Amino acid sequence: MAQIIGCIGTSHVPTIGVAYDKGKQEDPAWKPLFDGYKPVAQWLKEQEVDTLVVFYNDHASAFFFDLYPTFSVGIGEQFEVADEGAGKRPLPPIRGDLDLQMHIAESLVNDEFDIATFQDRPLDHGCASPLPLLWPHAQGWPGRVVPIAINVLQFPLPTAARCWKLGQAVRRAVESFSGARRVAIVGTGGLSHQVHGERTGFNNEEWDHQFLDMLQHDPEALTKMTHADYMRLGGAESVEQIMWLAMRGAMKPKIELLHLNYYLATTTAMTVALYEERA
């Protein structure tokens, strides 16, 4: 039977990928970020996690605004990493878990989620930016990925409450899968940040830490917030936090924070948080 081992919240800042590919892991400006992921990578290894279910958003690499689904499950044996304008990254194709992907897609439809599915479309930094910091990959990825794309770009967006319910439905899907899997749920996206308009460069560290505390202890309060609430507190792009709520919805009510690294050096705090369910 498939088992959810824990969950990971992580930023997916595109410059993380650029710095990683340029070998800046020991650069003083980047070392606090990369070191912050090492305990999570070690946990994944020790827990023998073989599957990551990743909630992320596509930045118009696989979808465009003439057809941008609200929720979409990637189905395929592998996914290429998108070239987002700086050339193709030196990463192996991301391995897909075909059986689990199909099961989750069918289960979500039966659970009354009108989801889309996609094949043969690349995964951009929304998924691929943090991935090499979590898994070794010189000889290929040690596990497989179930990518679940959430629309946080084109209005109307799914509500925070709907993303929470999506996570709950994904949990039911994983737990009803007959195959043996050790699964970690990953929610990606920025905390407070805005990259355009009058508030370009905006951050709210106080709200970031309040959000992280509420995510652990009072997530349902976050589901009652509107998109305008998130953007007022954290900037326009901080609406990506609803993808962390999808991750949290897939966990039990009580979770334990095992590791947190919060590093604000650019337009958004580059953050990784690791949680396990309490017995």
Side-chain angles (χ1 to χ4, degrees):
M1 301 292 290
Q3 179 183 4
I4 294 176
I5 308 301
C7 68
I8 301 164
T10 173
S11 303
H12 62 216
V13 184
T15 50
I16 293 176
V18 175
Y20 182 89
D21 294 345
K22 291 184 176 181
K24 292 184 177 291
Q25 288 84 341
E26 297 300 320
D27 186 296
W30 288 98
K31 184 175 172 58
L33 163 75
F34 289 114
D35 284 354
Y37 279 81
K38 290 179 180 179
V40 186
Q42 184 62 30
W43 177 86
L44 287 168
K45 180 180 179 181
E46 291 173 353
Q47 295 296 325
E48 299 180 332
V49 171
D50 53 40
T51 305
L52 300 178
V53 175
V54 181
F55 294 108
Y56 76 106
N57 72 286
D58 173 76
H59 300 77
S61 297
F63 306 108
F64 200 62
F65 299 120
D66 59 340
L67 184 60
Y68 203 105
T70 301
F71 300 126
S72 186
V73 178
I75 297 180
E77 293 183 348
Q78 70 176 33
F79 301 90
E80 294 296 325
V81 177
D83 180 349
E84 299 182 70
K88 188 173 176 58
R89 294 188 62 191
L91 298 174
I94 297 170
R95 300 167 63 200
D97 190 327
L98 195 58
D99 290 339
L100 182 57
Q101 290 161 355
M102 291 190 294
H103 174 79
I104 288 176
E106 183 174 3
S107 180
L108 289 177
V109 170
N110 290 335
D111 218 351
E112 300 185 346
F113 274 86
D114 300 319
I115 56 128
T117 59
F118 66 90
Q119 294 176 281
D120 300 324
R121 293 176 185 250
L123 303 181
D124 69 10
H125 71 268
C127 178
S129 176
L131 194 60
L133 282 63
L134 300 174
W135 267 346
H137 49 278
Q139 306 301 321
W141 303 103
R144 301 178 185 275
V145 170
V146 177
I148 303 180
I150 297 177
N151 169 29
V152 295
L153 292 187
Q154 177 161 274
F155 284 85
L157 311 181
T159 64
R162 189 60 172 163
C163 290
W164 167 263
K165 293 175 182 177
L166 173 67
Q168 293 176 319
V170 166
R171 183 186 185 95
R172 291 191 289 270
V174 170
E175 291 184 333
S176 65
F177 183 66
S178 60
R181 300 288 191 279
R182 292 181 63 81
V183 177
I185 308 294
V186 182
T188 78
L191 298 184
S192 66
H193 68 301
Q194 184 157 326
V195 298
H196 67 281
E198 293 181 359
R199 289 206 296 172
T200 296
F202 175 78
N203 296 110
N204 186 342
E205 294 182 68
E206 181 180 355
W207 164 240
D208 287 346
H209 290 290
Q210 182 182 349
F211 171 81
L212 291 168
D213 182 74
M214 293 174 68
L215 185 76
Q216 181 180 358
H217 300 292
D218 192 14
E220 293 196 49
L222 294 171
T223 70
K224 298 173 184 176
M225 292 173 55
T226 66
H227 300 125
D229 291 331
Y230 281 98
M231 290 187 282
R232 173 178 52 83
L233 287 165
E237 277 71 37
S238 73
V239 76
E240 291 178 347
Q241 290 169 298
I242 64 176
M243 295 185 291
W244 288 54
L245 274 177
M247 169 202 75
R248 184 65 177 90
M251 302 295 288
K252 289 183 177 179
K254 293 187 180 298
I255 58 173
E256 178 182 359
L257 176 65
L258 299 185
H259 172 72
L260 172 66
N261 188 65
Y262 180 94
Y263 181 54
L264 179 55
T266 60
T267 56
T268 183
M270 293 178 282
T271 308
V272 62
L274 171 64
Y275 305 90
E276 280 186 352
E277 295 178 343
R278 292 180 182 172

